[in-house]
Amino acid sequence: MPVFDDGQTETRTPVSSVVETDVLIVGSGPAGASAALLLSTLGVDNMVITKYRWTANTPRAHITNQRAMEIFRDMGIEDQVLADATPHHLVGDTVFCTSIAGEEIGRIHTWGTHPAREADYQLASPCLVVDIPQNYLEPILVKNATVRGTQTRFSTEYLSHVQDADGVDVLARDRLTGAEYTIRAKYLIGADGARSKVAADIGLPYEGAMDIAGSMNITFKADIERYVGHRPSVLYWVIQPGANVGGIGAGLVRMVRPWNEWLIVWGYDINEEPPAVDEAAATQIVRDLLGMPDIDVEITGTSLWGNNEMYAKHLQKGRVFCAGDAIHRHPPSNGLGSNTSIQDSYNLAWKLALVLRGQADRSLLDTYSAERAPVAERIVRRANRSSREFVQFFEVLGLLDATTEAEMVAAIEERKANTPEGAAKRAALVAAMELKNYEFNAHGVDLGQFYRSAAIVSDGSSLPAPGRDADLYYEMSTVPGSRLPHAWVGDTMHRTAMMDLAPYDRFTLVTGIAGEAWASVVDKVAHEFGIPLGTVVIGPGQEVTDLYYDWAKLREIDESGAVLVRPDKHIAWRSVTLPEDPEGALRTAMRQILGKA
Ligand SMILES: Cc1cc2nc3c(=O)[nH]c(=O)nc-3n(C[C@H](O)[C@H](O)[C@H](O)COP(=O)(O)OP(=O)(O)OC[C@H]3O[C@@H](n4cnc5c(N)ncnc54)[C@H](O)[C@@H]3O)c2cc1C
């Protein structure tokens, strides 16, 4: 074992030899850093290479949805994320206005903060939506991954790879020295963002187009609490001349830290020369959107980026997988990018762990694409539609025909008039505001991910027809492929979420007292397949009690039946009752899930 300068005798490979790892991850963004954290938590040897010297240097993603928060909870880092996040109750009122100091056109309760929606969100998950800027989140992910075993190499660029029957040789460049070297991995994850070179190298098939609109980010510091503290929100949408050009629908003033750090997103015409955004230009845009012509602002950064509408139809080739923006590229509308990237990795990491340990057949890995490609398509379509639907605001306010600022102001003013035109405008605004629920309260898009693949054993049933709009509302179910429904269970002293009973490092069979016979069956099947598989019996007198009798109402099976929960909290299989041969039934299901049929 080599001894290094610092006296440590860990199993580090001397620089001159080929570096080896089980899973090499390219990228330390939300997709890559969470893949590393998940793999390290499962004890899988992994390494991250990332091009720059540190994590994200701009806020970018911020809305962190319930599903992502659940993953952090599962990884034991929920508290760390909450400590750096703006809490749920401050993310509430999304405001539409002519400027921060100017007129308000309307507000909408967002991210599940409407009193009528709060219940939907609380009933669906133990976690609520919070706001944590990407430059605060990534260090938490990378730190915890590295503490748990990830080898993290900054300033290291992926150049190319070659795969063979047993692994992947990746050529990497150390950007400090210029030295190129090979990393030999059993599997490679390309989490290298919207311009993914890994995805290009494996020739993933895409649908859609890149750079369909241009946006600029301006980060700045200015204390504007006086104008926003009484209507706390993370998003203030500004309708001003030019706000409908390119970009994400309208001008945006976004809170980074309450209430003195901000990010402005403003559009530009991508078919023209990219604008030069120097300090003077940035300050002018900030002052215009704030509606405060003399305010002192400190510009902390500017950048240009393209809005995309593109998703991969297949996500992997051989031993190489792509995750995150590499496979779904879309505007930030609905706040889905980072969240979905983290969820991609959550889907993939446990499968890699089982295959690497020889507990599952390699075909289990094929289910990654089968399960996540439909999600990629859905979110890309939703985000772009939400961005386009902003046009309805401009339309109902009569701004599409306004050619001068004066005309625009007059058109917005008209909504106050006691005239038929004013009344029509007010009525149309109600509908336009309502439509934005599809961007800001799309609970069904956030949580309603349903999987169909060989790792889901159908019982012939299909999801109940949605009683409400499937984008806005999430319906819980235990039909195989669904996400495990949430309920609070526990005992006299503790309240536990259903998801906590099914940790990421094992399969879990959940049953009731009449299904106690499953327990010995589970032990036998676990032993036979050599996999981590536990049983939870829920009922009075058991370790876990159905505290509110909610689980009994949600489980959609008899008390003697069982649901088999995968590590990623999707239902892999269920049995409505205790069958005559429960061992045979579970064995057959397990065989299919592990690809050993
Ligand atoms: C203004 C804005 C607001 C947003 N708001 C939200 C939001 O509220 N909620 C949300 O969920 N999402 C939001 N997003 C989207 C979110 O930022 C992205 O979806 C997310 O960053 C994608 O994560 P990723 O890990 O796939 O890729 P990235 O974050 O792009 O990370 C890519 C990584 O790959 C590395 N890399 C690239 N090429 C190489 C190479 N050749 N070699 C080595 N390393 C390489 C990079 O250094 C980086 O570490 C927003 C985006 C923007 C622009």
Side-chain angles (χ1 to χ4, degrees):
M1 190 173 293
V3 180
F4 291 83
D5 291 351
D6 54 11
Q8 291 187 33
T9 55
E10 56 183 278
T11 50
R12 283 186 271 166
T13 314
V15 175
S16 53
S17 9
V18 170
V19 178
E20 288 188 19
T21 186
D22 280 353
V23 183
L24 177 67
I25 301 153
V26 181
S28 59
S34 56
L37 174 59
L38 292 157
L39 289 167
S40 284
T41 305
L42 293 175
V44 174
D45 177 73
N46 70 93
M47 180 184 294
V48 171
I49 58 170
T50 189
K51 195 165 168 183
Y52 303 106
R53 66 168 191 84
W54 181 227
T55 49
N57 59 358
T58 59
R60 289 166 67 209
H62 56 123
I63 297 297
T64 304
N65 69 25
Q66 291 177 290
R67 190 63 173 140
M69 287 305 292
E70 287 177 357
I71 294 171
F72 301 149
R73 180 184 178 95
D74 209 13
M75 293 299 103
I77 60 164
E78 186 187 13
D79 288 353
Q80 294 174 46
V81 174
L82 288 174
D84 269 354
T86 299
H88 182 66
H89 70 274
L90 291 183
V91 307
D93 283 359
T94 289
V95 173
F96 300 85
C97 54
T98 57
S99 71
I100 297 290
E103 291 213 11
E104 224 181 88
I105 296 166
R107 296 182 201 181
I108 176 170
H109 292 285
T110 50
W111 317 116
T113 58
H114 191 293
R117 296 303 315 269
E118 191 89 55
D120 292 332
Y121 283 69
Q122 289 204 16
L123 288 168
S125 172
C127 310
L128 290 175
V129 184
V130 299
D131 184 290
I132 179 164
Q134 194 162 336
N135 51 336
Y136 286 77
L137 178 63
E138 283 186 16
I140 297 175
L141 298 175
V142 172
K143 180 184 92 176
N144 283 281
T146 308
V147 165
R148 293 178 197 186
T150 298
Q151 288 280 5
T152 309
R153 293 181 170 220
F154 290 102
S155 301
T156 303
E157 186 175 0
Y158 161 90
L159 297 178
S160 62
H161 77 266
V162 181
Q163 57 173 316
D164 55 49
D166 305 315
V168 189
D169 284 331
V170 171
L171 184 63
R173 179 192 290 134
D174 179 332
R175 283 161 53 99
L176 294 181
T177 63
E180 293 181 6
Y181 60 100
T182 299
I183 304 170
R184 174 77 177 165
K186 294 188 178 118
Y187 294 97
L188 170 64
I189 301 178
D192 49 341
R195 317 256 162 204
S196 171
K197 174 141 177 36
V198 177
D201 288 349
I202 56 172
L204 288 187
Y206 286 92
E207 192 94 7
M210 296 282 279
D211 294 322
I212 55 174
S215 287
M216 71 178 75
N217 280 359
I218 301 170
T219 46
F220 67 98
K221 290 186 182 171
D223 186 351
I224 54 170
E225 177 166 9
R226 183 170 154 240
Y227 296 93
V228 294
H230 59 286
R231 45 178 183 172
S233 170
V234 296
L235 299 174
Y236 300 82
W237 290 92
V238 180
I239 313 288
Q240 278 193 4
N244 58 340
V245 175
I248 52 175
L252 175 64
V253 180
R254 188 194 116 192
M255 183 273 291
V256 176
R257 299 276 92 178
W259 306 105
N260 57 3
E261 273 189 53
W262 299 87
L263 164 71
I264 273 180
V265 187
W266 187 243
Y268 71 90
D269 186 346
I270 201 149
N271 301 311
E272 301 286 326
E273 268 299 292
V277 195
D278 58 14
E279 187 155 341
T283 304
Q284 191 56 52
I285 293 171
V286 170
R287 287 179 174 159
D288 287 348
L289 267 69
L290 296 186
M292 303 171 200
D294 304 316
I295 189 170
D296 279 338
V297 294
E298 179 190 340
I299 303 293
T300 53
T302 63
S303 58
L304 300 181
W305 51 279
N307 288 261
N308 309 312
E309 184 166 20
M310 186 180 256
Y311 54 88
K313 295 174 76 70
H314 193 73
L315 316 182
Q316 59 196 84
K317 185 175 180 191
R319 293 174 170 270
V320 184
F321 304 82
C322 284
D325 276 13
I327 53 171
H328 34 77
R329 304 158 180 184
H330 53 88
S333 323
N334 289 73
L336 290 166
S338 163
N339 289 307
T340 310
S341 303
I342 292 160
Q343 292 152 24
D344 292 337
S345 297
Y346 195 58
N347 182 289
L348 180 59
W350 66 272
K351 295 175 182 172
L352 282 169
L354 284 182
V355 171
L356 279 162
R357 290 193 202 112
Q359 292 162 330
D361 184 77
R362 255 186 72 187
S363 61
L364 174 63
L365 299 175
D366 297 339
T367 65
Y368 171 66
S369 197
E371 294 176 355
R372 296 302 295 176
V375 175
E377 176 175 351
R378 185 178 186 190
I379 64 148
V380 169
R381 287 182 185 280
R382 181 63 256 170
N384 277 282
R385 190 167 166 190
S386 296
S387 159
R388 281 194 275 271
E389 281 171 354
F390 256 102
V391 80
Q392 183 142 346
F393 264 99
F394 295 90
E395 205 173 317
V396 304
L397 285 168
L399 300 176
L400 293 180
D401 304 325
T403 50
T404 64
E405 188 165 350
E407 281 176 11
M408 197 165 183
V409 171
I412 295 174
E413 276 293 298
E414 194 180 35
R415 78 193 196 287
K416 300 174 186 168
N418 187 6
T419 59
E421 292 76 18
K425 206 164 252 191
R426 288 190 290 278
L429 269 170
V430 175
M433 292 297 285
E434 195 62 27
L435 189 64
K436 288 321 275 174
N437 279 307
Y438 285 91
E439 175 163 0
F440 301 121
N441 291 305
H443 202 212
V445 177
D446 285 356
L447 296 186
Q449 300 177 2
F450 182 81
Y451 293 157
R452 288 180 187 83
S453 79
I456 301 291
V457 185
S458 167
D459 63 356
S461 59
S462 43
L463 278 179
R468 302 183 288 180
D469 186 296
D471 272 4
L472 294 182
Y473 297 95
Y474 162 66
E475 309 274 355
M476 294 192 267
S477 174
T478 62
V479 169
S482 312
R483 167 179 170 275
L484 173 68
H486 167 62
W488 288 109
V489 293
D491 61 30
T492 320
M493 301 301 289
H494 308 99
R495 207 170 76 136
T496 309
M498 279 301 295
M499 64 162 283
D500 301 333
L501 303 176
Y504 194 62
D505 59 1
R506 69 171 202 199
F507 287 89
T508 305
L509 189 115
V510 182
T511 185
I513 291 178
E516 270 175 337
W518 286 106
S520 59
V521 165
V522 161
D523 289 345
K524 273 196 203 160
V525 172
H527 185 72
E528 189 179 321
F529 287 93
I531 50 159
L533 168 61
T535 317
V536 175
V537 180
I538 299 181
Q542 302 294 316
E543 224 169 279
V544 183
T545 306
D546 191 4
L547 289 173
Y548 301 89
Y549 292 93
D550 281 342
W551 175 243
K553 287 178 258 169
L554 290 167
R555 68 184 181 218
E556 297 173 339
I557 55 169
D558 292 351
E559 197 198 275
S560 69
V563 294
L564 180 63
V565 186
R566 305 193 319 188
D568 60 2
K569 318 295 176 277
H570 278 258
I571 311 288
W573 169 76
R574 70 177 179 179
S575 178
V576 174
T577 57
L578 183 69
E580 256 176 42
D581 177 15
E583 190 180 319
L586 183 59
R587 181 182 295 115
T588 307
M590 215 63 226
R591 244 191 226 134
Q592 178 183 324
I593 295 158
L594 299 175
K596 296 188 165 178

